[in-house]
Amino acid sequence: MVKNNHQEDANSLRNHVKVSEITSHDRRSNLTPTKRTIATPSKFNSQIALSPSLLESRIASPRKHKLGISSPKKTPAKKRIAPSAAKPSLVDPDFNPLEETQRILRLRISQVNKPPVISGYEKERKQLYDLMKRTATTGESNSLLLIGPRGCGKSMLIQRVVEDLHSDVAVKENVQLVQLTGLLQTDDKLALREITRQLKLENTVGDRVFRSFAETLQFLIEALKKGDQASKPIVFILDEFDLFAQHKNQTLLYNLFDVSQSAQTPICVIGVTCRLDVVELLEKRVKSRFSHRQLYLFNKLTLSQYRDLCRSYLTLCSDFPDQDFADTWNKNIQCLLGEVSVKDILERQFSLTNDVRGLITLLTYPICQVNAAHPRVTAADVVTSFKLISTDTKSAMLHGVSTLELCLIIAMKHLTDIYDGEPFNFEMVYSEYQKFAQRRSGMQVYEKPVVMKAYEHLQTLELIKSHAGGGGAQVQKEYKLMSLLVHPSQILDAIQKYPGCPTEIKQWASQSIC
Amino acid sequence: MPKRAVNRERPTLPSRSGPKPTPKNDLEEARARLHVSAVPNCLPCREKEFSDIFGFVESKILDGTGGCMYISGVPGTGKTATVKEVLKILEAERDDGNLQDFKFVEVNGMKLTEPRQAYVEILKALTGKEATADHAANILNKMFTVPAPRSSPVVLLVDELDLLWTRKQDVMYNIFDWPTKEMARLIVLAVANTMDLPERMMIKRVASRLGLTRMTFQPYTFRQLEEIVASRLKGLQVFDSDAVQLAARKVAAVSGDARRALDICRRSTEIAESRTEDAGGEAVVSMSDINAAVEEMFCSPKILAIRNLAVQEQLFLKAVVAEFQRSGIEEADFCKLYDQHQTLCRFEGIHVPTMTELSAICYRLGSMRLLLTEPGSRDLSMRIRLNVSQDDIMYALRADIPS
């Protein structure tokens, strides 16, 4: 039944497309309020706001080939013509607006494309841009740390600034970019090799770098020392900067900062990190050479901006080929975001994390659910998605254990209650279990080896863990001290939903102390 | 395999296209002069240290003997710059023919991958030969111990001495032992940060060879910092005189690091520029610009970070404080915090997050280092501490302060 409904939905949408072709132009003239707000992001002075037209234009051309969509009918050129010149259904008989929508939205949330345009962080962006530009034009050496929590747009900001720099030809020619990541360049040796490779110095042939570590360092220092104000400025971008601070002696950082503080090749060192206390990680002499410029980025989204952001992630923009479909879609999204349950879920997600990544996680499931049989995003999708995100993993895991294992968990819970968090061993759990099984229930009492097996299974699931000070490997497994890693509320929660849970067990679990 | 087309002697970087523009106005000129790399010809406020080191090195060169000097001081007090200035003057003297020929070799501990590479560097600077560390040590030993007539004195500057420490301290021992040899004519200037390094780190026979010729560079006082900045800005009217004093006093109170003072002044020129960009006219750096720069460089962002957290994250921090106050210990299990957080949520009337969500919150705060957490595998028994003071959290979360 449900499927039929969906198909009807799809059909009605398509019919709608055909019927309303004539009126499409009129419609476009009086845009929905949604679009008007998107067109002028400054209106809601947001920190981060997507401008869908830019997003779209990026998606439109360069990704085409990589995605393997090489059908000649879908070339970008035609697309640009489509909305203005002719009616799309005539130009492109097998153009499927739903498929196209799906593609666009999926690319948006998977962030394959360049990150969305930011209209917040104006001040920070200007400062960063000025700094890098001064390095490029006047040859001034600088260092800067970009600090902010995960998912607040640090890399995006840098990427945007670099793009801006490259748009100016005079600047682009005068700057060399070296990008390092603390996760890949795990020690100075690898980092130095990567630097010489990216700078294409003389000791590189193709992609290989010769010479030993010590020689590479001396070579690089010498190369940088030889340079003066006439040589090309280099911008070093160190992602995960805090990991570079864990290298031995912080040699790389010392040398980079030292070059930036002496009359050698002009360089600009930009560190990107999420640790607020990163400057305290630096050694005293490295810290002294660092110029202490710090840029802080924070998630400053408000709830209304968060809603607007959600809308701009879901709406199709004005250069979508099939305008009528886009209009219907957008109206539908507008309705969706007006629904109480969706509003409530957005608010809850926002109260948990106020960054864009949380929103993307929330939207992934609904967007992936869109298909011909289910042509629109419904409130139920969003609710399901939130439920999937917020499931308690441990109670979900408890649904899959056997009754005996559940009994053992309850026995452990009682032991933890009685002895106030003290660790327990297998023998204690077993006697607790026996007490219950013999006295109170008509259940089968399992023998010790069987119970032991169940106990070990719980251990491999990491629902119980060997206690820190619980003896070494010499202790027999029956007497090893363990502690329970399940919270009592999770146990009660799991037992409520456990399929076919015997009543005795339920009662036993709910008794506080037995 | 491709043949190595390596020019071993002259590694070069590509040069820029087009000439560098000259500074357009006074503010840009000031910024160029205030850059730490623009070391002046004569260092102000270090005259005494300069003459001491100069006298020491000159007398040793004239006498044809060797010796050691240990120079210490916190970073940014002009140690390396002073030594280099001394050597620059001496080299000028030598080129004029007033002084006998000598060689200057410089080794920096931080620029070596391991202590023994120091031998390689010294050998390379003296003879231009490349060798392995062991081989270089042998050659150097021979060079300094076997008497060779007509050899010229060598001045060796060892920067960041503490990094040449090895378990057997053989590198330090050799470097300080060579000057004691009759024929060596080696003058070693060792530079490090800590004053008591010889007593603390070196074994007795090394410390004894280092000798007692020591010099300490005191941190700059605010008057000296003011003078340093003023000397760089000679002839330019871009700074309010009180503004420089404010920067000097702020830095002198914290560290007495000249680099910091120069960086603050440079940053404040940028602030002044962006402030007067729209207004037009000549920009003068005022007290407020300096103040803004100081705030930017010294401020702690933690309070701002707490204010910009999501609601549940803020609540979790409150729960941590509440739990600490309840137990009286500055450390709590995640399990206890979960209970506390649940209570707070019910109290405030908002949804209680599940354990999974709450642990995600906890890790996020841990990655920002607002909390100090243990590895996540310990789960419920994970111990959590605060990396901010409890007062800071309560202050940041007070409702009456507009964020």
Side-chain angles (χ1 to χ4, degrees), chain A residues 134 285 288 290 353 394, chain B residues 160 259-260 270 364 379:
Chain A
R134 268 208 307 279
R285 50 190 148 221
S288 167
F290 167 57
T353 58
K394 262 203 199 128
Chain B
E160 313 290 1
R259 291 192 185 110
R260 216 44 350 97
E270 286 166 22
R364 223 168 13 244
D379 209 52

Side-chain angles (χ1 to χ4, degrees), chain A residues 124-132 134-135 141-147 157-158 236-238 241 257 260 267-273 278-279 289-297, chain B residues 266-267 270 296:
Chain A
E124 287 85 355
R125 185 169 163 185
K126 184 168 181 300
Q127 198 184 334
L128 195 60
Y129 178 75
D130 283 350
L131 191 85
M132 281 164 88
R134 268 208 307 279
T135 305
S141 292
N142 281 307
S143 48
L144 178 132
L145 275 181
L146 195 61
I147 303 170
L157 186 72
I158 290 208
F236 287 91
I237 294 173
L238 308 181
F241 182 81
F257 285 144
S260 81
I267 68 167
C268 179
V269 184
I270 296 175
V272 183
T273 180
V278 67
V279 183
R289 281 165 176 80
F290 167 57
S291 74
H292 283 249
R293 279 165 201 262
Q294 292 155 51
L295 264 187
Y296 291 99
L297 302 184
Chain B
R266 198 155 61 91
R267 174 72 190 125
E270 286 166 22
E296 225 173 75

Side-chain angles (χ1 to χ4, degrees), chain A residues 107-142:
Chain A
L107 283 180
R108 262 188 214 166
I109 53 160
S110 60
Q111 293 188 317
V112 188
N113 300 87
K114 296 252 168 64
V117 182
I118 44 167
S119 65
Y121 298 144
E122 244 84 58
K123 220 180 100 215
E124 287 85 355
R125 185 169 163 185
K126 184 168 181 300
Q127 198 184 334
L128 195 60
Y129 178 75
D130 283 350
L131 191 85
M132 281 164 88
K133 197 179 171 192
R134 268 208 307 279
T135 305
T137 53
T138 66
E140 186 183 303
S141 292
N142 281 307

Side-chain angles (χ1 to χ4, degrees), chain B residues 150-336:
Chain B
R150 287 198 301 281
S151 70
S152 53
V154 176
V155 181
L156 175 64
L157 165 63
V158 186
D159 215 341
E160 313 290 1
L161 178 74
D162 47 330
L163 286 170
L164 295 185
W165 188 89
T166 51
R167 189 200 291 271
K168 281 165 74 184
Q169 308 197 356
D170 51 337
V171 179
M172 279 182 178
Y173 178 85
N174 275 334
I175 287 177
F176 297 130
D177 189 39
W178 290 329
T180 61
K181 297 283 188 300
E182 201 181 338
M183 286 298 142
R185 306 176 76 190
L186 177 68
I187 303 151
V188 177
L189 300 170
V191 178
N193 291 141
T194 43
M195 205 161 81
D196 57 346
L197 182 83
E199 285 73 32
R200 207 159 39 84
M201 275 172 74
M202 297 181 189
I203 46 178
K204 283 207 184 82
R205 59 171 180 274
V206 178
S208 135
R209 277 170 174 78
L210 177 57
L212 291 170
T213 323
R214 297 189 189 173
M215 172 174 291
T216 313
F217 278 62
Q218 297 299 335
Y220 289 114
T221 63
F222 82 91
R223 281 188 203 291
Q224 290 171 324
L225 287 174
E226 214 180 329
E227 200 183 324
I228 290 170
V229 175
S231 78
R232 291 209 176 193
L233 293 172
K234 210 170 278 171
L236 290 176
Q237 287 301 320
V238 284
F239 269 85
D240 203 348
S241 64
D242 287 344
V244 176
Q245 199 182 63
L246 175 68
R249 279 185 187 269
K250 287 269 186 191
V251 173
V254 179
S255 61
D257 188 336
R259 291 192 185 110
R260 216 44 350 97
L262 292 171
D263 281 332
I264 286 177
C265 290
R266 198 155 61 91
R267 174 72 190 125
S268 58
T269 61
E270 286 166 22
I271 295 174
E273 191 177 60
S274 64
R275 181 170 55 88
T276 52
E277 213 163 47
D278 327 310
E282 277 298 284
V284 172
V285 181
S286 66
M287 291 273 269
S288 60
D289 296 326
I290 292 271
N291 218 4
V294 169
E295 287 278 289
E296 225 173 75
M297 288 185 172
F298 287 134
C299 80
S300 163
K302 281 176 180 163
I303 289 180
L304 207 60
I306 294 172
R307 280 201 190 139
N308 284 309
L309 289 176
V311 179
Q312 294 276 8
E313 290 168 335
Q314 292 180 340
L315 206 62
F316 187 70
L317 284 180
K318 272 189 196 164
V320 176
V321 173
E323 177 63 26
F324 284 0
Q325 280 171 354
R326 189 191 66 81
S327 65
I329 311 168
E330 298 267 300
E331 193 175 65
D333 280 355
F334 181 66
C335 184
K336 293 267 164 51

